[in-house]
Amino acid sequence: MAAVEEKMMRRINRDALFSAESGDYRIPMEPEACEDVLLRMRTAKGNAEHVYYVEDGAEVEMEKTMSDELFDYYEYEITVGTDQVLYHFKVTADQDVCLYNRLGATDENQECFDFKITPGFYTPDWAKGAVMYQIYVDRFCNGDKTNDVESCEYIYIGRPVERVEDWNSAPAAMDVGRFYGGDLQGVWDKLDYIKSLGVEAIYLNPVFVSPSNHKYDCQDYEHIDPHFAKIVKDGGELVKPEAEDNQEAGRYVIRSAAKENLEASDAFFARFMEEVHKRGMKVILDGVFNHCGSFNKWLDAEQIYEHSGDYEPGAFISKDSPYRSFFQFHDERDEAWPYNRSYDGWWGHDTLPKLNYEQSEKLVEYILNVARKWASPPYSIDGWRLDVAADLGHTAEYNHEFWRRFRQAVKEVNPEVLILAEHYGDPSSWLQGDQWDSIMNYDAFMEPVTWFLTGMEKHSDSYNGGIWGDGEAFFNAMRYHMSRMQTNTVMTAMNQLSNHDHSRFLTRTNQMVGRIGSLGAEMASEGVKTCVLREAALIQMTWPGAPTIYYGDEAGLCGWTDPDSRRTYPWGKEDLELIEFHRYLTGIRRRNPSLRLGAVKQLLAGRYQIAYGRIHGPYQAVVAISNDPKMRTMEIPVWQLGITDDMILGRPILTTEEGYNAGVLLYRVKDGMLKLNMPPYSGAVFISRPEEFYPVVDSWFAHEEEEGQK
């Protein structure tokens, strides 16, 4: 008798359990303090005996409020205060007990994986799921040759700078002082192209006055670099090829420091912003506030401003400089000046002076005013990307305090300005609603996608065949790292396949370990698999977050890690089919609400295969990836998304080894499963209610009804 009872004992259907921090399961998703919040938990229909809301060890039973063909839905309403709320759910059925948190169904109670409500924490709606496009300005398009850096215009890191005449030549191993001439006019000229890709926001690598092509060593935060904008006053001498310093760099002094050029460049940028906004796009600027450059006017270690005669002395020049407190000097004897080289450099680099915030409230206010200035009219930028943001300051405590002040300053100007940071590792302490909005998403996007599809490390510095194709490892990494972020920060995270600091994703598909200095530029294009890039782009456009295309990825650009990943855009030599593929993908994303704002659910994890779903209101999407070199079948339990056998799914895209298929094919679900024959190196998207997004499908349904009436 006991054996029979054991056999009949009800078990919880763990695959049916679901909740999220999305707008379907937490209403409102981003509550204010003292606001009522409705929480929802889903179970299999008739499966659960009790469902509890659990907060700080206290359990409250939830009420079953509705059911559909597959599921029961339980709800509980709370009123949040001002403190953060951590919660999870508990489901029971006879003797079976299961908890549900950010990782999903679990038997262990771990508070660090609880769902989290932070009252008053709002991230800009425009950025949630927005398609972004990153531009490294010097390498994108040369729209104005009159502002190009000239060879021998000045000395940078011990050698004269070089103007590169051949746009299509590869970067050099030591590349920071080589300039191809890309500028903001070039970006302006290509705005219609960028818009045609479905881009909603442009992220520009630094554009403030700086001597390098990357401009992460800022010379003047208060002005746009005239070499990227307008040079209206010119003259002065070039340095000699054998020169070792900038004593004779008269032309650079005029170009980079003359008030006429700075004012004209700022005015140009205001017009540029107006043009971008006119096209319905946003702009995110790079803020490099941890360190500046040895050329910076506050330090003036290159004596640029001393020679101009129009500026107060820098801290390198004079101990009595008004900027003396902006830097930490290790030798503070009076005789150490003028030309005191004992200043603290970031990681010991004297070309990257570390800014000394803790000892200078004046510096803090300067930087906060910079943040306010560019977020205000007439510029009105839409976001700040913060370089090495976790390194700012000398202590972790001060780092957090500074970013709290930064957020307050920027959001007071415009609460819709996005604040996202470059960050590696656990970002949770910065994403508590009082500092950053989100991050560049390495841990919860770039790395798991790269490991799964290529087995390569993001710099192409190593290969791991054990992780390559491991679907379980992919989802485990994604789940864990996404759990360190709140969902509104996940939705605004910059999901990239490539960027200026890492190898191009297309190069990683050759599974070759190397850099430009060891293997040369040509090898970055050897043995690459465009079909794998298409799979990656399909994941990028269907995963939660803000998919961010690194300029040229859509055109088939290859490259090892920095500096080779900073190649010029291949105008006239683009992979036009790949560009059209990206346009088609962003169109699918734009049409289907679930792909922009939906919660995500794992459906299948196998060898070289993954499938997941997105859910938003009445809309569902299914994504299937088969990165196997052979034809494989997939059986995907789409019932877990609420897709029933009477529903028709539309497949708007299938990528294959040879290319991709556009147009919508219709699929029927049987027994809650979507059964597929997946070609080698393929990916596909399936959407519910296809007739709402594709008129031709609606016509097909109408035709089917007419035939049935006959």
Side-chain angles (χ1 to χ4, degrees), residues 634-651:
M634 296 182 75
E635 295 191 10
I636 304 173
V638 296
W639 67 266
Q640 295 181 25
L641 305 178
I643 296 173
T644 57
D645 289 5
D646 60 340
M647 295 174 65
I648 298 290
L649 296 181
R651 191 201 73 191

Side-chain angles (χ1 to χ4, degrees), residues 144-150 153-154 163 181-185 209-210 215 224-236 238 250-269 271:
D144 181 1
K145 293 187 181 298
T146 67
N147 62 19
D148 290 1
V149 172
E150 296 186 43
E153 187 173 318
Y154 54 98
R163 175 180 176 175
D183 49 34
L184 289 171
Q185 183 63 58
V209 184
S210 161
K215 303 202 180 302
I224 302 298
D225 196 316
H227 289 98
F228 276 1
K230 286 294 177 185
I231 296 175
V232 296
K233 180 181 179 180
D234 213 349
L238 302 176
R251 187 163 306 178
Y252 184 71
V253 171
I254 292 172
R255 287 180 158 200
S256 68
K259 301 294 185 182
E260 297 91 331
N261 291 331
L262 300 176
E263 290 171 359
S265 294
D266 293 351
F268 175 85
F269 184 69
R271 296 193 300 275

Side-chain angles (χ1 to χ4, degrees), residues 183-317:
D183 49 34
L184 289 171
Q185 183 63 58
V187 179
W188 188 331
D189 292 345
K190 300 298 182 181
L191 286 178
D192 289 339
Y193 164 72
I194 296 168
K195 178 71 174 179
S196 78
L197 293 172
V199 170
E200 298 163 83
I202 300 170
Y203 156 43
L204 298 172
N205 285 109
V207 295
F208 303 127
V209 184
S210 161
S212 64
N213 60 47
H214 57 67
K215 303 202 180 302
Y216 283 97
D217 48 355
C218 191
Q219 181 173 326
D220 188 342
Y221 292 100
E222 297 177 272
H223 298 288
I224 302 298
D225 196 316
H227 289 98
F228 276 1
K230 286 294 177 185
I231 296 175
V232 296
K233 180 181 179 180
D234 213 349
E237 298 299 319
L238 302 176
V239 300
K240 294 179 173 58
E242 65 274 13
E244 297 180 353
D245 58 38
N246 285 299
Q247 294 295 319
E248 307 298 329
R251 187 163 306 178
Y252 184 71
V253 171
I254 292 172
R255 287 180 158 200
S256 68
K259 301 294 185 182
E260 297 91 331
N261 291 331
L262 300 176
E263 290 171 359
S265 294
D266 293 351
F268 175 85
F269 184 69
R271 296 193 300 275
F272 169 82
M273 288 297 305
E274 185 178 347
E275 285 296 319
V276 176
H277 287 155
K278 189 185 299 182
R279 288 167 171 80
M281 293 186 289
K282 311 285 189 181
V283 172
I284 299 168
L285 289 191
D286 217 321
V288 189
F289 302 129
N290 166 69
H291 56 272
C292 60
S294 57
F295 282 67
N296 189 277
K297 66 182 180 182
W298 298 331
L299 183 68
D300 201 18
E302 301 289 338
Q303 299 170 256
I304 298 298
Y305 296 92
E306 181 184 33
H307 293 147
S308 80
D310 296 328
Y311 292 80
E312 295 177 291
F316 174 79
I317 307 296

Side-chain angles (χ1 to χ4, degrees), residues 460-514:
S460 292
D461 280 346
S462 64
Y463 167 76
N464 187 329
I467 300 180
W468 177 35
D470 188 335
E472 285 289 353
F474 169 84
F475 281 116
N476 288 341
M478 286 292 204
R479 265 195 304 272
Y480 174 78
H481 292 296
M482 288 170 71
S483 77
R484 313 318 301 146
M485 307 161 68
Q486 299 180 63
T487 292
N488 58 355
T489 71
V490 171
M491 288 181 171
T492 51
M494 193 178 276
N495 288 349
Q496 296 187 294
L497 299 172
S498 318
N499 64 26
H500 61 291
D501 285 329
H502 305 93
S503 59
R504 293 271 179 175
F505 186 89
L506 187 54
T507 288
R508 278 176 243 151
T509 67
N510 68 13
Q511 299 177 303
M512 191 182 302
V513 174

Side-chain angles (χ1 to χ4, degrees), residues 429-710:
S429 62
W430 288 274
L431 299 177
Q432 298 298 311
D434 58 348
Q435 297 169 68
W436 311 336
D437 285 322
S438 195
I439 58 171
M440 299 181 77
N441 203 2
Y442 293 114
D443 293 340
F445 187 78
M446 182 189 284
E447 294 207 72
V449 172
T450 296
W451 287 119
F452 174 69
L453 290 177
T454 72
M456 295 297 295
E457 183 270 341
K458 61 184 177 292
H459 290 280
S460 292
D461 280 346
S462 64
Y463 167 76
N464 187 329
I467 300 180
W468 177 35
D470 188 335
E472 285 289 353
F474 169 84
F475 281 116
N476 288 341
M478 286 292 204
R479 265 195 304 272
Y480 174 78
H481 292 296
M482 288 170 71
S483 77
R484 313 318 301 146
M485 307 161 68
Q486 299 180 63
T487 292
N488 58 355
T489 71
V490 171
M491 288 181 171
T492 51
M494 193 178 276
N495 288 349
Q496 296 187 294
L497 299 172
S498 318
N499 64 26
H500 61 291
D501 285 329
H502 305 93
S503 59
R504 293 271 179 175
F505 186 89
L506 187 54
T507 288
R508 278 176 243 151
T509 67
N510 68 13
Q511 299 177 303
M512 191 182 302
V513 174
R515 293 195 172 207
I516 189 171
S518 59
L519 296 183
E522 290 184 3
M523 290 301 291
S525 304
E526 289 294 316
V528 299
K529 297 182 179 68
T530 305
C531 55
V532 177
L533 172 60
R534 283 193 291 268
E535 293 175 88
L538 192 147
I539 296 173
Q540 183 183 39
M541 292 298 164
T542 58
W543 194 261
T548 305
I549 303 168
Y550 183 42
Y551 80 100
D553 271 9
E554 81 279 12
L557 204 56
C558 292
W560 301 111
T561 197
D562 164 28
D564 198 36
S565 58
R566 303 171 180 185
R567 297 185 185 189
T568 54
Y569 187 99
W571 300 111
K573 299 181 179 180
E574 309 97 317
D575 184 333
L576 297 177
E577 183 179 276
L578 193 57
I579 290 174
E580 196 55 44
F581 170 75
H582 279 81
R583 287 189 180 120
Y584 190 66
L585 267 183
T586 59
I588 293 171
R589 180 181 182 83
R590 184 171 58 253
R591 287 187 184 96
N592 195 284
S594 64
L595 294 178
R596 183 176 184 122
L597 297 174
V600 65
K601 191 177 194 308
Q602 174 184 335
L603 298 176
L604 182 150
R607 190 65 182 161
Y608 302 117
Q609 292 188 330
I610 56 172
Y612 53 90
R614 302 288 303 277
I615 314 167
H616 181 67
Y619 303 104
Q620 301 101 337
V622 180
V623 181
I625 301 291
S626 184
N627 193 41
D628 197 292
K630 299 178 182 178
M631 173 80 74
R632 292 278 300 278
T633 59
M634 296 182 75
E635 295 191 10
I636 304 173
V638 296
W639 67 266
Q640 295 181 25
L641 305 178
I643 296 173
T644 57
D645 289 5
D646 60 340
M647 295 174 65
I648 298 290
L649 296 181
R651 191 201 73 191
I653 191 167
L654 171 70
T655 73
T656 65
E657 196 168 10
E658 294 76 25
Y660 70 99
N661 293 336
V664 182
L665 292 181
L666 302 180
Y667 283 70
R668 292 192 182 276
V669 174
K670 185 176 181 181
D671 299 328
M673 305 293 288
L674 178 62
K675 298 183 180 181
L676 306 172
N677 291 317
M678 295 292 287
Y681 299 113
S682 61
V685 177
F686 302 84
I687 59 173
S688 64
R689 303 173 182 260
E691 68 278 7
E692 293 188 23
F693 310 110
Y694 297 94
V696 65
V697 176
D698 189 44
S699 299
W700 185 91
F701 277 118
H703 176 71
E704 186 181 56
E705 289 174 2
E706 291 172 5
E707 290 296 316
Q709 290 172 0
K710 292 178 183 177

Side-chain angles (χ1 to χ4, degrees), residues 9-232:
M9 188 173 66
R10 182 168 28 171
R11 304 287 296 179
I12 296 169
N13 184 340
R14 284 163 168 75
D15 290 333
L17 299 180
F18 192 71
S19 190
E21 293 176 347
S22 65
D24 291 334
Y25 289 86
R26 189 166 80 195
I27 308 164
M29 189 180 85
E30 298 170 303
E32 295 293 335
C34 305
E35 188 170 6
D36 293 338
V37 183
L38 182 67
L39 303 173
R40 186 172 289 150
M41 177 68 198
R42 190 192 81 179
T43 70
K45 188 172 184 177
N47 180 242
E49 186 176 3
H50 300 285
V51 177
Y52 299 93
Y53 166 81
V54 185
E55 178 189 341
D56 197 24
E59 301 178 358
V60 180
E61 186 160 6
M62 303 176 72
E63 179 184 0
K64 183 165 68 174
T65 58
M66 56 183 171
S67 301
D68 57 28
E69 184 177 337
L70 297 173
F71 306 114
D72 293 329
Y73 297 88
Y74 292 79
E75 294 181 345
Y76 181 67
E77 187 172 78
I78 64 172
T79 301
V80 299
T82 57
D83 294 336
Q84 202 169 67
V85 178
L86 301 177
Y87 67 95
H88 62 269
F89 301 102
K90 177 180 174 181
V91 182
T92 67
D94 295 334
Q95 301 303 309
D96 197 11
V97 178
C98 179
L99 305 181
Y100 195 91
N101 59 20
R102 286 290 301 275
L103 295 185
T106 178
D107 294 324
E108 297 182 19
N109 179 21
Q110 294 178 281
E111 186 178 282
C112 61
F113 298 123
D114 274 358
F115 294 106
K116 183 181 295 183
I117 298 175
T118 304
F121 183 18
Y122 164 81
T123 62
D125 284 341
W126 69 261
K128 293 184 175 79
V131 176
M132 300 183 181
Y133 191 78
Q134 179 186 351
I135 297 177
Y136 191 92
V137 179
D138 182 62
R139 307 298 164 82
F140 184 64
C141 180
N142 189 342
D144 181 1
K145 293 187 181 298
T146 67
N147 62 19
D148 290 1
V149 172
E150 296 186 43
S151 292
C152 293
E153 187 173 318
Y154 54 98
I155 300 298
Y156 181 69
I157 312 186
R159 66 180 71 181
V161 295
E162 175 189 354
R163 175 180 176 175
V164 180
E165 300 294 341
D166 181 4
W167 179 262
N168 296 309
S169 62
M174 180 58 180
D175 191 63
V176 292
R178 301 173 76 247
F179 296 85
Y180 286 74
D183 49 34
L184 289 171
Q185 183 63 58
V187 179
W188 188 331
D189 292 345
K190 300 298 182 181
L191 286 178
D192 289 339
Y193 164 72
I194 296 168
K195 178 71 174 179
S196 78
L197 293 172
V199 170
E200 298 163 83
I202 300 170
Y203 156 43
L204 298 172
N205 285 109
V207 295
F208 303 127
V209 184
S210 161
S212 64
N213 60 47
H214 57 67
K215 303 202 180 302
Y216 283 97
D217 48 355
C218 191
Q219 181 173 326
D220 188 342
Y221 292 100
E222 297 177 272
H223 298 288
I224 302 298
D225 196 316
H227 289 98
F228 276 1
K230 286 294 177 185
I231 296 175
V232 296

